[in-house]
Amino acid sequence: MPELEIDGRRLRYEFSGPGDAPVLTFANSLGTTLEMWAPQAAALGDRYRLLRFDARGHGGSDLGDAAPVESFADDVLSLLDHLGIAQTHFCGLSLGGLTGQALAIAAPDRLLSLTLANTAVQIPGDALWNGRIAAVRAGGLESIAEAVLARWLTPDAPPELRTHLEEMLCSIEREGYARACIAVRDADFRDRAPAIAAPTLVISGDGDTATPPEMSETLAGLIPGARHVMLKGAGHISNLEQAAAFTDALRAHLDRHPEG
């Protein structure tokens, strides 16, 4: 799989699709890799050029220096520039949604549309984040896997999905995960979200305990013109637990805003 080197740091990505199609960029959540978007890639790959990448410190992307969430958005811009992409649709979940907010604020001219899933303008809980950081540094991702999966999925999620996500989570390097937790903990777009100009869809899951629907409602209320869709039977990783409904909502949003 291709890699982009940024200041000596590798960024793993995949870019595929029809040569003249619009670009749709996906940003993964904390504790996952670009493979989390497999259902959406399969459903939309004939209509869009799809750009997926591993967030820094995840999968095949090196960590580099500790950095705020804005630096995750800088990585997206580096990829777009490297690939000669002037504008893109963007879809990010959780950490990827925070990345999308930072990107929309820093480089509004690069976005055709914005989809923010299972995220918030601020994800509170310093004690939770600090405890998770300490646990991961001491005992690795296995030490928190059960607690994380309980926040990621509803009790009705298929066992095979739970196993798949546990394997993905436990494949992440512990310091990469810990530094990303710091970025999430410190991210705060409450004062800046109203400046987002891209046509925006906010997706939530009715069973999401990590970023409950009321956080999505707040986020959508702060972004001018944003729409909010809540998926039934979905936890935090809604694009996998309710893949078809998620893809349908995303596709409808893209169809409404083909050129921004």
Side-chain angles (χ1 to χ4, degrees):
M1 194 168 289
E3 296 175 349
L4 171 64
E5 184 171 313
I6 307 172
D7 298 328
R9 175 173 54 85
R10 295 173 304 151
L11 188 67
R12 172 180 174 253
Y13 70 92
E14 181 176 288
F15 187 45
S16 61
D20 58 351
V23 177
L24 171 57
T25 300
F26 289 102
N28 60 288
S29 69
L30 175 69
T32 65
T33 66
L34 63 81
E35 281 79 15
M36 73 171 285
W37 297 109
Q40 287 70 46
L44 299 171
D46 61 338
R47 296 179 56 189
Y48 296 92
R49 286 180 289 160
L50 302 180
L51 175 58
R52 296 182 289 164
F53 65 98
D54 290 335
R56 59 173 64 194
H58 288 60
S61 293
D62 293 334
L63 174 59
D65 296 330
V69 73
E70 287 79 6
S71 294
F72 289 74
D74 290 341
D75 288 344
V76 178
L77 290 174
S78 294
L79 267 178
L80 296 179
D81 291 344
H82 172 69
L83 295 168
I85 299 169
Q87 290 185 304
T88 182
H89 298 281
F90 184 93
C91 177
L93 189 147
S94 191
L95 167 61
L98 293 170
T99 302
Q101 292 174 68
L103 181 64
I105 292 164
D109 58 313
R110 306 300 291 271
L111 294 185
L112 294 169
S113 74
L114 181 63
T115 299
L116 304 173
N118 303 88
T119 193
V121 285
Q122 183 191 41
I123 302 177
D126 282 7
L128 181 149
W129 291 118
N130 292 338
R132 188 179 293 185
I133 292 162
V136 165
R137 284 175 168 165
L141 275 297
E142 292 80 4
S143 68
I144 65 164
E146 184 175 351
V148 169
L149 287 166
R151 289 167 63 85
W152 274 5
L153 299 170
T154 68
D156 295 330
E160 58 271 22
L161 176 57
R162 191 173 299 273
T163 299
H164 173 61
L165 283 171
E166 183 175 8
E167 291 174 351
M168 194 181 299
L169 174 68
C170 292
S171 74
I172 307 301
E173 189 269 328
R174 66 177 68 186
E175 190 59 22
Y177 184 89
R179 301 273 189 94
C181 283
I182 294 171
V184 172
R185 181 197 67 192
D186 295 345
D188 187 349
F189 293 101
R190 286 176 293 180
D191 293 335
R192 292 179 286 168
I196 294 175
T200 300
L201 171 67
V202 177
I203 298 176
S204 63
D206 65 356
D208 185 354
T209 59
T211 52
E214 53 266 29
M215 290 188 181
S216 295
E217 292 170 358
T218 297
L219 172 60
L222 287 172
I223 299 174
R227 297 177 59 254
H228 175 215
V229 172
M230 184 167 66
L231 305 182
K232 294 182 179 180
H236 190 58
I237 309 296
S238 64
N239 77 298
L240 288 177
E241 190 164 8
Q242 295 296 334
F246 186 102
T247 303
D248 287 346
L250 174 59
R251 183 188 288 112
H253 180 59
L254 297 173
D255 286 346
R256 285 190 187 96
H257 306 284
E259 298 179 358

